[in-house]
Amino acid sequence: MEDDMDIKTTIVNSLSAVLADELNNTEIKNLLEVPKSSKLGDYAFPTFILAKSRHQAPQKIAQELVEQLDHEPYEKIEATGAYVNFFLNKGNFAEATLQTILTSGDQYGDSQVGQAGNVPIDMSSPNIAKPMSMGHLRSTVIGNALANIYKKIGYQPIKINYLGDWGTQFGKLIVGYHKWGSEAEIKEDPIGNLLKYYVHFHEAAEKDPELDDEGRAWFKKLEDGDPEATHLWEWFRGLSLAEFQKIYDRLGIEFDSFNGEAYYNDKMDPVVDELKAKNLLQESRGAQIVDLTDENLTPALIKRSDGATLYITRDLAAATDRYNKFHFAKSLYVVGSEQTEHFKQLKAVLKKMGDDWSDDIIHVPFGLITKDGKKLSTRKGNVVLLDKVLDEAVDLAKQQIAAKNPDLAHADQVAHQVGVGAVIFHDLKNDRLDSFDFSLGEVVRFEGETGPYVQYSNARAQSILRKAKREVNLDDVLNLADPNAWDTIKYLADFPAMVLRAANEYEPSVIAKYALRLAKTFNKYYANSKILVEDDQLNARLALVKATSQVLQQSLALLGVQAPDEM
RNA sequence: GGCCCCGUGGCUCAGCUGGAUAGAGCAACGGUUUCCUAAACCGUAGGUCAUCAGUUCAAAUCUGAUCGGGGUCACCA
């Protein structure tokens, strides 16, 4: 970043020296661009804007500027068409970039823009007694990546798993368990059997609507603190959590809090009271609502006509609680895009309550995953179980290792890293908002633009470093002049800017795409240039290999993907 | 119907605050291993950037309309 800024400033100053009468520094800076191909140069200045005032052809202006400019700080300056193209001094730039990266180590790209502000992140949020599907994966891995990215730029992320652990479904579950379940069955396969009772309940309730009343009655008991209901709830919740934990362990993701919906049960009354006190609550069709027509939103339903609370009531309590606890700089909600309206309502209600911090609540939506074009639904059996996908991916990775690298040490561990890495990376590489239809073949692919491709590139880099049998010496030559290496060096210098962009856009895919691009140029580099040759550039080449490996590892780490040294 | 998102080669997608001949990956076809792991690299073929109009010296990118797909529109979360 520093280097990038310095270079841009240098170029702006150069241009300013000959254009001071026509354009100021900011204008020049905004016009500067990076050519599509580095054959055209490293930075370009388009001259179209001067054509009018000078009454000259842009091509001619470009040529004139090249003649007037001071060429000294650059390798060369050329006029190509209407552009003035600047070529950086490659040796110097390589030296500075590699020096910065290798001395900063894992801190390369760190910044303090967050000023240690708290950033609670609402993420993952699976429902108790239901299996985790591919749908939950998105929220989980996006939230985790954003936590890593925000930490890197100086914030204090707080990962909150807002479990779906309350609601009428628990009454239904209890009824289902009483009618068809057994302790032994549940111990054998907790989630599988709880889900079975739940599905069974819904089937039975179709024919016998009285079951629904029974379910509601048991939920009422639960709310009233009935000992049996409470005991069963705690039991189901604990079992589910243990199952979830296995998946989180496989993914390598940890949380700072598991405060789910149940946690806010006793925190809703104060919010409702406050709404009442501020005259925001009104009755409509028997329900209590906050009118939001002035915000062009549908009314927020705070209490049902039977007096029960709703999703937004709990979320209001949760948001307030999080603010009181953390005084957050931002509060992120990594929740599907189908809930966009809900978060608009949430913010609008908080705003009406006078909570200005509602501006810092940010919904980070993501696109829907479908299966055969249809929305995933646990009840309808249209599910893609996350556990199964991970199994499949790890199995495939094992097969790949057996075929390609049979002598690999710790093969099982690497298979896990590669298989899981492929699944996570696949979910993060595209724009958050893109919806996609689930395809196992696509998710567990290891070739082309995939996580394993990046991992492989890093493993190759590590392999070269091992074979070098010497350390990179930062006091020795670093001014790598090989043209094949140039794109890699420039991309390496881009990393800090990419981290900031990913944070600003709440978009982990920025990092994923960056890692792919860096891996690709690096692969191209070492396919065309031999690294391990004894000459005066060996140290510089090894420095590049090391720096690349380091940045690839950092990028993967930000995404929550592991990077094996060998694969 | 109102509001929101999306529409780029057979498939999946990049294209940053508008700029130089629209880029990748997969699939297809051909090539590269006595050479640092062929999970790689190189090449060939494939696109009127949904359509129309507007703004601009310049539009895949900005504006409006049309068509097509998805989401959402109070007592689920």
Side-chain angles (χ1 to χ4, degrees):
Chain A
M1 195 65 199
E2 289 300 312
D3 297 323
D4 185 54
M5 294 314 288
D6 286 351
I7 285 155
K8 252 191 161 172
T9 310
T10 307
I11 296 172
V12 169
N13 289 340
S14 298
L15 285 162
S16 176
V18 295
L19 293 172
D21 299 339
E22 292 157 283
L23 297 166
N24 66 38
N25 285 15
T26 342
E27 285 167 331
I28 294 173
K29 195 181 161 198
N30 290 336
L31 284 167
L32 273 185
E33 58 185 82
V34 177
K36 287 179 185 171
S37 160
S38 50
K39 282 175 193 148
L40 289 166
D42 302 309
Y43 286 93
F45 178 77
T47 58
F48 303 102
I49 196 163
L50 299 170
K52 244 184 194 169
S53 50
R54 291 196 180 187
H55 300 292
Q56 277 182 328
Q59 290 79 356
K60 188 149 196 287
I61 298 173
Q63 281 167 15
E64 280 179 16
L65 287 178
V66 169
E67 282 167 30
Q68 292 162 10
L69 281 161
D70 175 13
H71 290 227
E72 201 277 321
Y74 310 98
E75 187 181 287
K76 61 176 170 178
I77 304 176
E78 274 180 0
T80 309
Y83 293 84
V84 178
N85 291 331
F86 295 83
F87 293 76
L88 301 181
N89 189 315
K90 294 183 176 52
N92 291 352
F93 187 79
E95 164 117 42
T97 303
L98 295 174
Q99 188 70 246
T100 303
I101 296 172
L102 293 174
T103 33
S104 321
D106 286 348
Q107 275 146 49
Y108 178 56
D110 283 11
S111 60
Q112 298 307 318
V113 300
Q115 299 179 314
N118 285 328
V119 180
I121 304 176
D122 188 298
M123 54 185 273
S124 197
S125 313
N127 293 317
I128 298 296
K130 286 188 194 168
M132 269 211 256
S133 75
M134 280 300 286
H136 294 112
L137 181 68
R138 303 218 77 186
S139 172
T140 310
V141 298
I142 292 172
N144 184 56
L146 289 178
N148 294 335
I149 291 164
Y150 270 81
K151 181 153 199 163
K152 192 160 180 66
I153 63 167
Y155 285 96
Q156 204 54 246
I158 299 147
K159 293 186 270 186
I160 302 174
N161 196 332
Y162 190 50
L163 297 167
D165 58 1
W166 202 250
T168 323
Q169 74 256 33
F170 286 95
K172 296 176 178 176
L173 207 54
I174 290 170
V175 173
Y177 170 69
H178 278 152
K179 287 205 185 307
W180 308 292
S182 74
E183 196 172 326
E185 250 185 8
I186 288 189
K187 278 188 174 150
E188 203 184 298
D189 175 11
I191 293 192
N193 282 305
L194 286 173
L195 180 66
K196 194 174 82 185
Y197 307 151
Y198 186 69
V199 171
H200 201 148
F201 179 96
H202 275 280
E203 286 166 2
E206 296 261 318
K207 294 169 200 145
D208 179 9
E210 277 185 24
L211 276 177
D212 280 326
D213 293 334
E214 254 185 85
R216 269 192 287 270
W218 269 103
F219 180 59
K220 182 84 170 89
K221 280 191 183 182
L222 181 58
E223 285 198 297
D224 294 344
D226 173 85
E228 190 190 351
T230 307
H231 171 256
L232 285 173
W233 176 77
E234 280 172 351
W235 188 40
F236 296 159
R237 186 178 188 275
L239 288 171
S240 298
L241 222 49
E243 292 288 300
F244 294 158
Q245 194 53 54
K246 286 185 201 164
I247 293 187
Y248 293 135
D249 287 345
R250 295 183 83 177
L251 294 172
I253 292 176
E254 294 174 353
F255 294 90
D256 299 299
S257 162
F258 284 89
N259 286 343
E261 295 171 29
Y263 175 80
Y264 295 99
N265 282 334
D266 58 355
K267 296 174 180 60
M268 285 184 284
D269 282 348
V271 175
V272 176
D273 290 344
E274 191 182 338
L275 284 168
K276 236 178 256 171
K278 291 181 174 163
N279 278 323
L280 293 168
L281 223 49
Q282 39 182 278
E283 193 172 315
S284 169
R285 300 182 212 169
Q288 298 291 315
I289 66 154
V290 176
D291 184 80
L292 298 171
T293 42
D294 54 341
E295 301 283 341
N296 206 10
L297 292 168
T298 50
L301 254 176
I302 305 296
K303 277 200 168 180
R304 288 196 321 216
S305 41
D306 67 358
T309 56
L310 285 140
Y311 181 43
I312 196 163
T313 324
R314 230 180 306 277
D315 252 6
L316 284 167
T320 309
D321 182 65
R322 286 174 197 176
Y323 184 74
N324 291 338
K325 256 190 202 140
F326 304 121
H327 290 90
F328 50 71
K330 293 163 184 279
S331 182
L332 308 187
Y333 291 79
V334 185
V335 180
S337 59
E338 66 271 22
Q339 289 191 35
T340 300
E341 190 82 358
H342 165 74
F343 285 102
K344 283 186 185 163
Q345 291 181 325
L346 180 69
K347 293 181 69 162
V349 173
L350 290 168
K351 192 86 171 179
K352 279 185 187 294
M353 290 168 80
D355 297 324
D356 287 336
W357 47 262
S358 65
D359 292 335
D360 301 318
I361 286 181
I362 292 147
H363 177 211
V364 180
F366 53 83
L368 216 57
I369 298 183
T370 53
K371 170 88 183 295
D372 303 321
K374 280 176 292 192
K375 203 172 162 172
L376 300 178
S377 162
T378 318
R379 256 181 298 171
K380 291 176 186 156
N382 196 36
V383 252
V384 183
L385 298 182
L386 180 50
D387 231 1
K388 291 267 162 54
V389 174
L390 294 177
D391 286 347
E392 198 83 29
V394 173
D395 271 358
L396 197 67
K398 270 183 195 158
Q399 289 171 33
Q400 293 281 322
I401 290 167
K404 294 171 190 294
N405 199 353
D407 301 327
L408 181 65
H410 314 295
D412 281 356
Q413 191 194 340
V414 174
H416 166 262
Q417 294 174 319
V418 172
V420 173
V423 175
I424 296 177
F425 194 93
H426 174 267
D427 224 34
L428 292 176
K429 84 171 170 194
N430 286 341
D431 254 53
R432 273 187 350 245
L433 281 167
D434 287 352
S435 298
F436 65 90
D437 199 63
F438 177 80
S439 148
L440 185 65
E442 189 62 23
V443 172
V444 301
R445 221 185 64 215
F446 297 160
E447 292 164 1
E449 296 172 325
T450 65
Y453 175 87
V454 179
Q455 289 174 320
Y456 177 77
S457 309
N458 173 61
R460 291 295 302 271
Q462 284 298 319
S463 169
I464 292 170
L465 292 172
R466 274 195 304 275
K467 294 208 163 147
K469 297 207 162 65
R470 51 173 281 182
E471 289 298 310
V472 174
N473 182 357
L474 291 183
D475 299 321
D476 196 355
V477 176
L478 293 175
N479 59 341
L480 191 55
D482 184 348
N484 287 332
W486 184 231
D487 279 341
T488 305
I489 292 166
K490 279 204 293 186
Y491 288 154
L492 285 171
D494 276 345
F495 180 65
M498 290 297 132
V499 174
L500 289 172
R501 197 180 135 202
N504 285 336
E505 296 175 11
Y506 309 101
E507 188 57 275
S509 71
V510 168
I511 301 295
K513 282 167 190 152
Y514 168 79
L516 283 171
R517 214 176 48 188
L518 178 61
K520 195 173 171 56
T521 49
F522 176 66
N523 281 334
K524 190 180 280 204
Y525 164 62
Y526 75 72
N528 290 300
S529 292
K530 178 95 178 152
I531 311 282
L532 298 178
V533 182
E534 281 296 339
D535 63 16
D536 59 355
Q537 287 262 294
L538 176 58
N539 187 65
R541 286 193 301 271
L542 286 173
L544 177 68
V545 174
K546 190 173 175 184
T548 304
S549 173
Q550 191 182 296
V551 174
L552 285 176
Q553 284 180 41
Q554 263 293 301
S555 302
L556 289 173
L558 288 177
L559 299 175
V561 173
Q562 293 189 282
D565 285 345
E566 287 181 77
M567 63 187 270

